[in-house]
Amino acid sequence: MKLLAVVVFLFTVGTVCRAEQQKFENYKLYSLYVEDDEQAEELHNWYADGKLDFWSYGTLNDSVTVMVQPDLQEYFEAMLDDVQLESELVEENVQSLLEHEQEKRNLHILSKRRRPQKVPQKPNSTEGEVDEDAIDFEHFWTLDEIYRYMDRMERQYPNLVRVLKIGQTYENRSILALTVSRDGRINQTRPVVLVDAGVHAREWASHMSALYLINQLVESADKNEDLLYNTDWIIVPVANPDGYVYSYETNRLWRKNRFAGNVMCVGTDVNRNFPFRWDYTSHSCTDGYAGRTPGSEKETQALMLLMSQFSRSIKMYLSLHSCGEYILYPYGFTFQFVPNEAELHALGTEAAEAVKNVGGPEYIVGQASGLLYLATGSDDFIYGAYGVQYAYTLELSCGNRGYGFIIEPDQIEPIAAETFEMMKVFGVHAGSLKISKRP
């Protein structure tokens, strides 16, 4: 089976470097139904050349959503005819989707200024001021909001939460992790679940699902004692802070980090940069550019050091992405099965059933290479380099509009809540595993 990838549009040097808000006027969004290997092969070639931006994952006999730039429209339509690929025009002008999303964000900010505050007003605050401590899952949080929330959890729950600085980005932003343990800190006496999100900047549903997990484990700890009694948690809600800020402020569709040392185009795909079966990609303007050398990126290094620090106790690794409704396990770089494939599949299936039982979508469970495309990533790395036997990439729900990572605000909490149902399954299982004793 030829496999497909989520990719980002190939930007020119001038476009990448502009500080103004990136526009996508007359870019079109299509849903494509892939029926055979020839069609999948053709789409894979367009991906490899950086010509199409795939907004969702897909396999044979499934639909994928792709964005087409105006100057490739004629060639794209010719390709559809040539391989007889069934297509449906989903959106005439992608810019209208982005403006709609921005309008929703603006309305949310305005409504927060008008609504009564959820906590007592601070002594020096003024009427109509936004309450920075009031949280909701009705909008996508800024990086400042996310980091403020993490700091507040540490202050308010010192016996449960610690915030760790695990690295620094190219643009000098901190990369933060939050630990949750009933001992107050991770002392490696209990199994650890390591969760990261936002490796790909534009996949905002992943960031919000990680924050919802923190909210449930910390502020609703009494309701989730079974997830904390035998299990500790380490959560990195924004693994790519520079990319996230850039996607929020300048280019909503930005995927990579913001490393500016490449000759032609800015950015490296952090997920492709891990030094396990690393595969060099020569074109730095493609969305999947793996970097100059294995492990060259500061974001990759931060996650690797975190994995190394707690390698003895990490028994479950979950990397959150968006979107596609897949539960994927190693390997991604080869079709060869891992030794515990049956156990990985069984637990993934249990997590998928948990989502279905609360009325969520039907997640597809399987080996990454068998369901999607050949490529290594963070789950391959932690499985292959550190022997973490339960490692998954979760491609979260696309919401009810089918626009990939452009998700309506009213879908944020449902997606995050469905993800938490999976986390319950993975967390309880992790708690049943044993940590090897120190030599």
Side-chain angles (χ1 to χ4, degrees):
M1 179 186 297
K2 196 64 185 178
L3 308 163
L4 308 179
V6 174
V7 300
V8 73
F9 163 65
L10 171 62
F11 295 99
T12 63
V13 178
T15 299
V16 169
C17 296
R18 284 194 315 192
E20 63 199 51
Q21 189 72 32
Q22 175 68 40
K23 302 292 184 183
F24 291 86
E25 293 288 353
N26 299 317
Y27 284 67
K28 291 180 170 53
L29 207 60
Y30 285 86
S31 178
L32 308 179
Y33 189 78
V34 185
E35 297 180 291
D36 58 44
D37 287 335
E38 181 187 2
Q39 295 171 344
E41 176 74 24
E42 184 66 25
L43 289 179
H44 181 78
N45 291 338
W46 278 63
Y47 152 66
D49 291 339
K51 293 178 180 178
L52 278 183
D53 184 348
F54 284 75
W55 282 25
S56 68
Y57 287 95
T59 64
L60 289 181
N61 300 311
D62 196 5
S63 295
V64 295
T65 305
V66 302
M67 183 177 73
V68 183
Q69 62 195 82
D71 60 351
L72 289 177
Q73 182 66 34
E74 184 178 341
Y75 297 102
F76 175 74
E77 292 177 1
M79 180 271 289
L80 296 181
D81 290 338
D82 194 37
V83 297
Q84 298 182 326
L85 189 56
E86 182 181 337
S87 66
E88 177 187 355
L89 180 61
V90 177
E91 176 57 51
E92 279 275 0
N93 184 10
V94 168
Q95 184 61 29
S96 67
L97 291 179
L98 304 182
E99 290 174 356
H100 173 75
E101 184 184 64
Q102 182 63 56
E103 186 179 309
K104 291 279 188 178
R105 296 211 301 268
N106 294 342
L107 287 172
H108 176 81
I109 293 171
L110 184 62
S111 69
K112 283 188 74 172
R113 292 183 181 277
R114 289 176 174 172
R115 75 168 69 124
Q117 294 181 332
K118 296 182 180 179
V119 297
Q121 193 157 337
K122 300 169 188 176
N124 296 323
S125 62
T126 59
E127 186 177 355
E129 182 178 336
V130 175
D131 174 17
E132 294 181 346
D133 285 344
I135 70 163
D136 64 68
F137 291 92
E138 299 169 359
H139 78 292
F140 291 105
W141 299 7
T142 65
L143 183 68
D144 286 344
E145 286 178 304
I146 293 170
Y147 280 4
R148 222 166 28 235
Y149 179 67
M150 294 171 70
D151 288 341
R152 182 156 61 88
M153 291 301 95
E154 183 179 44
R155 291 196 308 271
Q156 292 184 356
Y157 301 91
N159 296 325
L160 190 62
V161 173
R162 292 286 186 277
V163 175
L164 310 175
K165 179 179 176 180
I166 64 171
Q168 193 87 359
T169 69
Y170 294 100
E171 296 178 348
N172 293 318
R173 294 184 176 91
S174 296
I175 306 172
L176 301 182
L178 182 143
T179 69
V180 186
S181 172
R182 59 189 179 90
D183 289 338
R185 63 183 181 88
I186 305 293
N187 54 24
Q188 307 211 57
T189 61
R190 281 187 293 277
V192 167
V193 180
L194 172 59
V195 181
D196 66 45
V199 166
H200 292 144
R202 63 186 180 176
E203 298 173 6
W204 294 0
S206 69
H207 306 81
M208 296 305 299
S209 293
L211 291 165
Y212 188 89
L213 172 63
I214 292 172
N215 175 263
Q216 292 298 306
L217 292 176
V218 177
E219 298 193 77
S220 297
D222 56 333
K223 299 177 183 177
N224 296 296
E225 291 180 351
D226 56 333
L227 299 180
L228 296 169
Y229 187 75
N230 292 319
T231 311
D232 289 343
W233 298 76
I234 304 173
I235 304 163
V236 184
V238 189
N240 178 8
D242 290 349
Y244 184 56
V245 171
Y246 191 74
S247 73
Y248 213 103
E249 297 179 352
T250 304
N251 182 348
R252 175 62 181 89
L253 305 183
W254 188 257
R255 168 184 163 106
K256 300 186 283 184
N257 72 359
R258 294 295 299 164
F259 173 65
N262 301 332
V263 175
M264 293 181 64
C265 293
V266 171
T268 296
D269 184 339
V270 174
N271 204 38
R272 300 288 168 264
N273 188 241
F274 284 89
F276 182 81
R277 300 299 191 269
W278 180 79
D279 186 20
Y280 178 67
T281 49
S282 60
H283 203 326
S284 62
C285 294
T286 61
D287 73 300
Y289 177 58
R292 301 159 297 163
T293 57
S296 60
E297 304 309 294
K298 292 180 179 291
E299 297 82 3
T300 314
Q301 294 164 9
L303 290 174
M304 288 167 56
L305 286 171
L306 185 66
M307 293 171 182
S308 175
Q309 181 180 355
F310 296 100
S311 60
R312 191 173 66 87
S313 56
I314 295 173
K315 295 299 176 182
M316 182 77 60
Y317 172 69
L318 306 168
S319 187
L320 306 185
H321 291 254
S322 174
C323 68
E325 295 159 11
Y326 286 93
I327 299 174
L328 307 170
Y329 50 80
Y331 285 122
F333 77 93
T334 178
F335 294 116
Q336 177 185 346
F337 286 123
V338 294
N340 66 329
E341 190 271 345
E343 290 84 357
L344 283 165
H345 194 92
L347 185 62
T349 300
E350 186 180 343
E353 284 296 320
V355 175
K356 195 174 179 181
N357 289 341
V358 295
E362 187 169 345
Y363 274 73
I364 299 173
V365 182
Q367 184 182 10
S369 60
L371 285 178
L372 301 181
Y373 57 98
L374 283 173
T376 190
S378 60
D379 55 352
D380 275 12
F381 173 78
I382 200 169
Y383 185 97
Y386 289 115
V388 175
Q389 292 294 291
Y390 289 90
Y392 295 90
T393 292
L394 307 181
E395 289 290 344
L396 306 182
S397 172
C398 299
N400 61 1
R401 294 183 70 193
Y403 290 159
F405 31 79
I406 306 298
I407 292 169
E408 287 286 342
D410 63 5
Q411 291 294 292
I412 296 172
E413 188 162 3
I415 291 171
E418 293 163 7
T419 304
F420 183 61
E421 293 302 314
M422 290 191 279
M423 295 295 177
K424 291 179 184 179
V425 173
F426 292 127
V428 169
H429 185 78
S432 70
L433 303 175
K434 303 297 182 186
I435 298 177
S436 59
K437 295 182 179 179
R438 293 185 184 275

